[in-house]
Amino acid sequence: MSIREDQNRFRDIIKGKIKEDLRRFVGSSDMIGKRENDFVKIPLPHIEIPTFRYGPKQQGGVGQGQGQPGDGMDGEPQAGQGQAGDQPGEHQLEVEMSIDDLATILGEKLALPKIEPKGSKSIHSEKTRYSGLAPVGPEGLRHFKTSYKRALKRYVSSGTYDPNEGMIVPIRRDFQYRTFKKVIQPQTRAVIIYMMDVSGSMGEEQKEIVRLESFWINAWLRKHYKGIETRFIIHDAAAKEVDENTFFRTSESGGTLISSAYKLAQQMIEEDYPPHEWNIYPFHFSDGDNWSGEDTRLCVRMIKEFFIPYCNVFCYGQVDSKYGSGQFLKDLQKEFPNEEKLLTSTIESKDKILDSIKQFLGTGR
Amino acid sequence: MANLTPELERERQRINSIAQSAGLDYFDVIFELITYDQISQFAAYGGFPVRYPHWKFGMEYEHLSKSYEYGLSKIYEMVINTAPVYAYLMEGNSMMDQKLVMAHVYGHADFFKHNVWFGKTNRKMMDQMANHATRIRRYMDRYGVDIVEDFVDKCLSLENLIDRHQLSPSPIKFSEPAPINNAQFMLKYDKEYMRDYINPPSFVAEQKKKLQEEQARNSKSPFEPQKDILQFLLQFAPLTEWQQDILAIIRDEAYYFAPQGMTKTMNEGWASYWHTKLMTEKILNDSEVIDYADHHSGTVAMRPGGYNPYKVGIELFRDIEMRWNKGQFGREWDECDDVNERKHWDKKLGIGREKIFEVRKIYNDVTFIDEYLTEEFCVANKLFVYKFNKRTNQFEIDTRDFKAIKAKLLFQMTNFGQPIIKAVDANFENRGELLLSHLWEGIDMQPEYLNETIKNVFALWGRPVNLATVMDNEGLLFRFDGEKITQIKIGGSQSAG
C-alpha cells in the first residue's frame, strides 16, 4: 500500500530531524510529560514545505461570531481559507514516537555502544527442561507417541502387523519416558537504582534535569534488557525508598549524608538482586555537598568494596546548584583516578544532559 | 473497496432521482464504500487512489488517521472532480449519515460539471495521476530516491507560482534556440580516426553546454512579467530532462487543483444548500430527523472566530434565492434607503431558484463575494474582520464595517490567498540572474518562508535569484546567491501595478 511507504518515508525524515535537534529534545520537559504507555508525542518544528505566502499574523482575516472591536478571539483562527483541495492549512505537528525508537536515535547520535550484559559471560541460571528421552522413568512422564511408534516399528519389522487390526500392544521395551536436561541460560536481568539528593540545595531545575536524564537512561537501558526494574531512593541526611512520582517531587530541607543512600542501596542489592543474576546500575545525583569528609570517606569505601565489584558501573552525576559546593565529585575523582567502572559527569544545564548520558552510557557496560 | 450494499444502493437511486428532479445535473457518480483507514488514505492523497511517492502524503495520512482515532474529526465525504465522478462513503456511518453524504455529493458533482472555472479541467485525472506516479517512480529507480525526492520538494515549494486566471495550463512552448550541431566548436582534424583524440567527446559536450548556457542567458526575458513562473522555469531554467518532466507534472497538478481552491466557498455552500433541502424535504424519514439536525449543525457550526466556508456559502446562496424571489435587487432596490421599506420588500418574482443555478455556473469565490455580499448579510451573519495585535500577542476583532469585511474577504480569495509574484527578468543585471517581483497590496510576505523558498528557486535556476517586495513599509530586494541571503533597499516602495 503506497501510503504506508509514504508514511514510513515521513517517519524516517522525522527521525532524522529529531536526531539533528536531539540536544534540544533531550532537554525538553514538555515532551516527557506527554507520555502514554510507550509512546511519546513530539511537537515538531516546521516540516512543511516552504512557499511564498503570507503568514496568519500578517494576514488577519474574516471571522464570525459575537464580540466588539478590540475583543480577543478564542483560540487560533482557522487558517484554512482557500486552500487547494488536497491539503488543510498549517497544523501544529505532533508526531507519535515509540520510546524505543527515540532510544535508538539517542544511541545513534551519541554512538552508544551496545551493552554487554554480564549475562552473556558469567551470569547464568540453570533451568531444567524436559526435552530428552530415556527408557526408564515414572509412568507420569511416559511419552506416548514415541512409545507407540516403537511398538509399531516392532510389529512391522516382525511381520505381525495387520493394518485391519487397529490395536497395537507395546511391551516394556517400547516405552520411552521424558527426562530432564540441565540448560544454562544467560540471564539478562537488570535493575537501575536511582538515588537523588533532595536536600534543600537541590532546586526545581536541578530535579528537572535529573528527571529528564533518568528518562533517557531508562529508555536506553530498557532496549537492552527485558524486564528492567527501577528502584528509587531519596536522601538528605537519611535515605528512604520511594516510588517514581515521589522521587521527582520531594524536597526536604535537611543536611546531606550521601552514605545513607549508599547504605540503603547496598541493602537493596543484597536483599533482592544477587549480583550473579542481575546487571546492576546505580545512579546517584547530587549537587556534591556532603556533610563531612568523614562521610565522604565512608562513601568511597562503600564504592570501592561493594559497588564497583558487584555492579556493572557506578554512576555519579553532579548537578550545578548555587548552594552546593561540588566537593563530592572532586573527592571521587581524587580517590578513583583510574577506575573504569566509576563514571562521573557534571550536568550544568539541560543542554548538557546529552553529554552526560554519553559519559554514563558510552562505555558499553 | 466495496460497492454499495443493496440497501444503500436503493437509497442512492432514490436520492439520485430526487436530486435530478430538483434540477441538478452531473456526470455519472460512482460511490464506493470504504473503511475509515482507506478514506484517510484517499484524503491524504487528495481524493485519488494513487499519487506519486512523497512523504507529505505520509504526513497528511498520519495526521488524519490520528485525528480520527482521537475522535477529533470524521471525514464524511470525499468526492473528486472526474468523469465519471468518484465518491467515497465511510463504512460504519449510520444510514442517515450516508444519505446526507450522497445528497451532498450530488451537489458537488453538479457544481464540478457546470461551474465554468472547472470547464477545462482534465476529467480523466484518475489516469493522469497514476501516470504521474509511474513516471516519478521510474526516475526514483533510475536516479535514486533521495535525489528525486529532494527535487520534488523544491518543486512543491514553488507549486503556487502559477497563473490562476488561466483556465488551464497553456501548452509549454520551449524556446527554439538555433540548433547546435557539433561542428560549430570542434577543432579541425585531418584524419577521421584522429577525431576522437583531437575532440574527445567530453570536450565537445562541455563546449556545447557552454554555448547553450550563453544562449539561455541571452534569450528573451518575457516582455510582460509572467505569473506562470513554473512555465517560465520550464522554459529558461537549466534543468535536466527528468527534472523538467517532474516540474511539468507538479505544474499540471497545481492547475488541476486550482479551480477547487478558487471556488471552495461556493462549492461547499452549493452542496450544503442541496443536502439540506433534499434531506429535510424529501429524504429523511421521521426517525432520522434528530440525528440529522445534530450532524448538520456540527458541519455548519462556527467556531468562535473561525471562518466556515460551508456556513457562509450556504447562507449566501439562501440569501440570493430569497432576494431574487422577493425582487430585492436592481437599481430601485439599490437606491432605496428606507430601512422599513427594504425589510418588507417583496415583489414576489419567484426567480430565486433559477438565479442560484445561474450563479453556481458563472461565478468563483471572488466574483461571488464581490457581487452578492451585502451589508445586511454581514450583520445577520455576525461577520467581522480580525487582525493580529502585536502588543497583546493575540488575534482580536478589528471591525464590523461592511466595506472592510468585503475587502478582506476579497483579498483573501484573490489568487487563492497567495501573494502574486511575477517573473520579470531572466537576465537581470546582465548576469543571468532571475528577477521576481511581488505585487505588494498592503500585506507583507512571511519572511522565514520567503528566505527558504527563494533558496529553492535558486536550486532550479542555478544562478542568483532576486525578489523585489515590500516589508515593514520598505521596498526590499532579497537576493540569494547560493550562499547567503542579502537584502538591499529599493528606493521608494514597490507598489501594486
Side-chain angles (χ1 to χ4, degrees):
Chain A
M1 227 213 238
S2 54
I3 194 79
R4 299 268 179 251
E5 287 172 22
D6 291 331
Q7 202 182 4
N8 287 334
R9 186 81 191 141
F10 171 61
R11 301 209 125 238
D12 283 342
I13 293 180
I14 300 283
K15 287 183 191 164
K17 285 212 183 301
I18 294 180
K19 203 156 141 186
E20 264 170 46
D21 216 8
L22 194 58
R23 185 173 296 273
R24 191 175 63 81
F25 276 113
V26 162
S28 146
S29 323
D30 34 57
M31 180 180 74
I32 313 290
K34 293 188 202 159
R35 213 161 55 156
E36 289 169 27
N37 301 324
D38 288 318
F39 286 87
V40 168
K41 284 221 243 303
I42 306 178
L44 279 181
H46 282 300
I47 195 160
E48 276 180 286
I49 293 178
T51 57
F52 288 129
R53 59 188 296 184
Y54 302 117
K57 294 188 183 167
Q58 284 84 0
Q59 198 163 219
V62 169
Q64 290 174 279
Q66 312 275 33
Q68 301 287 349
D71 284 355
M73 289 165 53
D74 302 323
E76 287 291 299
Q78 255 183 342
Q81 289 117 335
Q83 293 281 2
D86 57 348
Q87 305 268 353
E90 327 169 319
H91 32 252
Q92 172 57 284
L93 197 60
E94 255 188 11
V95 171
E96 245 181 33
M97 270 257 120
S98 72
I99 296 189
D100 193 66
D101 276 342
L102 284 177
T104 311
I105 296 177
L106 181 77
E108 281 172 16
K109 176 89 173 186
L110 297 182
L112 295 180
K114 285 213 183 60
I115 297 180
E116 292 268 326
K118 278 195 236 166
S120 62
K121 295 206 184 95
S122 56
I123 293 189
H124 62 268
S125 68
E126 283 181 356
K127 279 205 156 84
T128 52
R129 290 227 184 280
Y130 284 84
S131 53
L133 289 174
V136 293
E139 290 305 308
L141 289 176
R142 199 170 51 205
H143 193 293
F144 177 79
K145 268 197 189 149
T146 325
S147 312
Y148 186 89
K149 272 197 210 161
R150 285 167 68 103
L152 192 55
K153 269 197 244 173
R154 184 170 47 79
Y155 268 55
V156 168
S157 57
S158 67
T160 50
Y161 181 62
D162 179 3
N164 298 319
E165 173 70 40
M167 194 166 75
I168 307 273
V169 181
I171 58 174
R172 176 142 224 99
R173 227 183 39 170
D174 294 325
F175 283 108
Q176 295 280 289
Y177 300 85
R178 294 175 204 266
T179 60
F180 57 86
K181 283 201 198 132
K182 275 208 167 74
V183 167
I184 298 190
Q185 256 203 341
Q187 271 285 45
T188 54
R189 290 207 296 217
V191 60
I192 313 180
I193 303 183
Y194 287 107
M195 297 172 274
M196 179 158 72
D197 175 352
V198 292
S199 65
S201 46
M202 288 284 282
E204 278 314 307
E205 203 192 310
Q206 283 75 27
K207 282 200 284 226
E208 186 64 13
I209 290 179
V210 174
R211 189 166 100 139
L212 290 170
E213 183 147 352
S214 64
F215 171 81
W216 290 99
I217 292 173
N218 259 347
W220 177 251
L221 288 175
R222 196 173 274 143
K223 267 176 76 67
H224 292 87
Y225 295 101
K226 268 193 298 211
I228 200 170
E229 281 190 32
T230 42
R231 305 285 288 266
F232 297 94
I233 297 176
I234 55 172
H235 78 91
D236 47 20
K240 64 177 185 210
E241 182 181 357
V242 294
D243 66 27
E244 185 171 351
N245 270 332
T246 323
F247 183 71
F248 290 115
R249 294 200 197 304
T250 324
S251 48
E252 312 290 331
S253 54
T256 316
L257 268 181
I258 297 183
S259 64
S260 64
Y262 290 4
K263 278 193 194 134
L264 183 55
Q266 177 167 350
Q267 189 186 334
M268 229 183 241
I269 294 173
E270 282 168 350
E271 280 173 12
D272 298 329
Y273 303 109
H276 62 272
E277 280 177 32
W278 288 84
N279 295 280
I280 309 174
Y281 292 87
F283 282 89
H284 178 220
F285 295 99
S286 155
D287 58 8
D289 197 17
N290 205 2
W291 182 255
S292 63
E294 169 87 34
D295 193 70
T296 301
R297 276 195 292 281
L298 174 57
C299 295
V300 164
R301 212 173 71 216
M302 285 170 60
I303 295 179
K304 222 178 249 178
E305 292 171 7
F306 180 77
F307 289 110
I308 300 286
Y310 291 115
C311 306
N312 292 45
V313 283
F314 185 85
C315 300
Y316 172 67
Q318 185 157 290
V319 288
D320 261 2
S321 104
K322 45 190 193 287
Y323 303 113
S325 63
Q327 185 59 30
F328 194 68
L329 181 63
K330 298 190 195 128
D331 291 334
L332 281 184
Q333 284 169 335
K334 204 175 73 188
E335 293 294 330
F336 298 98
N338 290 317
E339 177 54 65
E340 267 185 357
K341 281 167 83 171
L342 174 66
L343 302 171
T344 60
S345 132
T346 32
I347 317 156
E348 296 96 341
S349 65
K350 284 187 187 166
D351 263 348
K352 295 283 185 280
I353 293 181
L354 205 58
D355 303 307
S356 169
I357 294 178
K358 172 115 184 151
Q359 280 168 312
F360 285 148
L361 301 175
T363 60
R365 287 180 191 275
Chain B
M1 282 196 284
N3 285 326
L4 302 183
T5 62
E7 197 191 350
L8 271 175
E9 174 59 24
R10 262 201 314 277
E11 289 298 336
R12 183 196 73 76
Q13 285 174 10
R14 192 163 80 94
I15 296 174
N16 188 25
S17 56
I18 294 174
Q20 291 191 359
S21 349
L24 296 179
D25 168 58
Y26 33 80
F27 299 118
D28 279 341
V29 179
I30 301 182
F31 284 94
E32 306 259 8
L33 193 61
I34 59 182
T35 62
Y36 91 82
D37 189 52
Q38 283 171 316
I39 215 171
S40 297
Q41 177 178 338
F42 276 71
Y45 276 162
F48 289 87
V50 178
R51 296 292 293 274
Y52 56 84
H54 198 266
W55 57 262
K56 69 170 184 169
F57 298 121
M59 173 167 91
E60 188 56 30
Y61 172 71
E62 180 134 339
H63 186 76
L64 284 170
S65 48
K66 289 285 178 284
S67 293
Y68 180 77
E69 269 172 37
Y70 304 143
L72 291 178
S73 69
K74 226 163 145 184
I75 305 165
Y76 279 99
E77 48 136 327
M78 169 120 325
V79 55
I80 45 178
N81 168 31
T82 48
V85 176
Y86 283 91
Y88 304 101
L89 300 178
M90 195 164 78
E91 259 177 34
N93 279 346
S94 69
M95 180 56 73
M96 191 282 301
D97 277 339
Q98 308 288 33
K99 291 201 274 196
L100 188 158
V101 172
M102 287 195 267
H104 193 91
V105 164
Y106 284 129
H108 277 313
D110 170 272
F111 194 90
F112 284 144
K113 183 172 179 186
H114 289 278
N115 183 282
V116 68
W117 298 88
F118 283 90
K120 295 253 172 49
T121 55
N122 181 359
R123 311 272 186 194
K124 294 296 167 204
M125 203 56 178
M126 275 282 213
D127 297 332
Q128 192 72 315
M129 289 294 192
N131 174 268
H132 291 169
T134 311
R135 274 145 74 185
I136 294 191
R137 275 190 202 280
R138 214 179 282 144
Y139 296 132
M140 284 185 166
D141 282 341
R142 202 183 297 170
Y143 302 107
V145 171
D146 287 328
I147 291 183
V148 173
E149 184 187 77
D150 189 62
F151 185 74
V152 173
D153 284 355
K154 294 183 162 56
C155 292
L156 288 174
S157 172
L158 312 176
E159 78 174 334
N160 63 343
L161 302 177
I162 56 174
D163 185 356
R164 283 190 177 75
H165 288 94
Q166 248 179 263
L167 289 179
S168 72
S170 51
I172 296 163
K173 278 196 293 287
F174 290 96
S175 54
E176 310 265 357
I180 301 172
N181 80 49
N182 289 354
Q184 282 173 261
F185 36 72
M186 284 167 71
L187 304 172
K188 298 244 182 293
Y189 53 88
D190 291 326
K191 308 269 192 255
E192 185 60 42
Y193 60 79
M194 285 298 283
R195 190 170 82 148
D196 282 342
Y197 285 89
I198 311 261
N199 291 299
S202 55
F203 173 78
V204 172
E206 208 188 299
Q207 292 301 311
K208 185 167 175 177
K209 189 157 170 256
K210 278 205 188 132
L211 186 57
Q212 274 177 330
E213 281 176 28
E214 216 194 289
Q215 269 192 343
R217 273 206 291 283
N218 292 334
S219 57
K220 296 199 293 271
S221 295
F223 286 128
E224 270 201 42
Q226 184 172 338
K227 267 201 234 176
D228 190 344
I229 297 184
L230 293 185
Q231 172 162 349
F232 186 83
L233 290 170
L234 278 164
Q235 279 177 273
F236 296 108
L239 302 170
T240 63
E241 216 174 288
W242 65 267
Q243 289 175 330
Q244 278 186 340
D245 196 26
I246 291 185
L247 186 58
I249 286 175
I250 302 290
R251 178 173 178 265
D252 199 41
E253 295 190 0
Y255 270 106
Y256 173 78
F257 284 115
Q260 290 176 25
M262 289 168 76
T263 54
K264 178 121 182 120
T265 299
M266 278 183 77
N267 202 350
E268 291 304 344
W270 184 248
S272 300
Y273 173 93
W274 282 105
H275 90 233
T276 331
K277 192 167 261 321
L278 297 180
M279 287 297 272
T280 48
E281 289 175 15
K282 300 264 187 344
I283 300 174
L284 284 178
N285 56 47
D286 295 331
S287 64
E288 292 169 320
V289 171
I290 306 272
D291 281 335
Y292 169 74
D294 186 34
H295 175 134
H296 179 74
S297 61
T299 317
V300 295
M302 315 177 292
R303 235 165 21 95
Y307 170 80
N308 187 339
Y310 291 76
K311 175 83 175 158
V312 170
I314 191 180
E315 294 304 334
L316 261 176
F317 271 113
R318 286 189 179 144
D319 191 57
I320 294 170
E321 188 177 24
M322 184 271 294
R323 286 173 56 200
W324 260 255
N325 278 338
K326 296 192 177 168
Q328 289 180 5
F329 61 92
R331 199 156 67 108
E332 239 189 283
W333 166 259
D334 289 339
E335 286 175 357
C336 167
D337 52 11
D338 180 323
V339 169
N340 232 0
E341 212 185 315
R342 279 171 87 93
K343 217 162 114 179
H344 295 105
W345 190 297
D346 187 355
K347 296 226 168 111
K348 298 206 191 317
L349 293 182
I351 53 171
R353 179 63 57 88
E354 198 186 306
K355 180 67 181 171
I356 56 174
F357 269 89
E358 185 195 308
V359 166
R360 70 96 162 81
K361 191 164 164 181
I362 309 175
Y363 292 78
N364 63 43
D365 283 352
V366 173
T367 52
F368 187 56
I369 296 285
D370 194 28
E371 180 90 25
Y372 296 108
L373 188 75
T374 61
E375 189 158 4
E376 279 100 337
F377 182 86
C378 290
V379 170
N381 284 276
K382 303 195 182 33
L383 297 180
F384 56 76
V385 176
Y386 65 83
K387 69 176 200 298
F388 187 72
N389 185 333
K390 290 201 187 119
R391 256 185 326 109
T392 60
N393 208 39
Q394 61 169 351
F395 287 93
E396 59 183 34
I397 298 180
D398 185 25
T399 172
R400 288 189 186 274
D401 175 54
F402 166 60
K403 288 206 181 63
I405 294 175
K406 184 165 166 182
K408 183 59 102 176
L409 270 176
L410 286 180
F411 179 80
Q412 277 173 187
M413 288 165 167
T414 307
N415 205 41
F416 192 34
Q418 310 269 341
I420 298 178
I421 300 181
K422 300 186 181 177
V424 172
D425 194 346
N427 193 12
F428 185 54
E429 308 271 332
N430 225 8
R431 288 198 298 251
E433 298 190 11
L434 177 62
L435 175 63
L436 303 174
S437 173
H438 168 217
L439 195 76
W440 187 78
E441 289 165 298
I443 308 274
D444 294 356
M445 284 205 274
Q446 216 282 356
E448 280 92 45
Y449 280 85
L450 192 158
N451 287 338
E452 291 309 308
T453 313
I454 205 176
K455 289 180 189 166
N456 288 334
V457 181
F458 173 86
L460 268 63
W461 185 251
R463 297 190 63 73
V465 174
N466 302 268
L467 173 64
T469 180
V470 175
M471 223 168 257
D472 288 327
N473 278 309
E474 215 171 10
L476 289 175
L477 186 70
F478 282 80
R479 181 168 180 274
F480 181 66
D481 60 6
E483 279 173 24
K484 60 184 193 313
I485 295 188
T486 46
Q487 296 174 19
I488 310 164
K489 290 207 182 108
I490 309 175
S493 56
Q494 195 94 335
S495 55

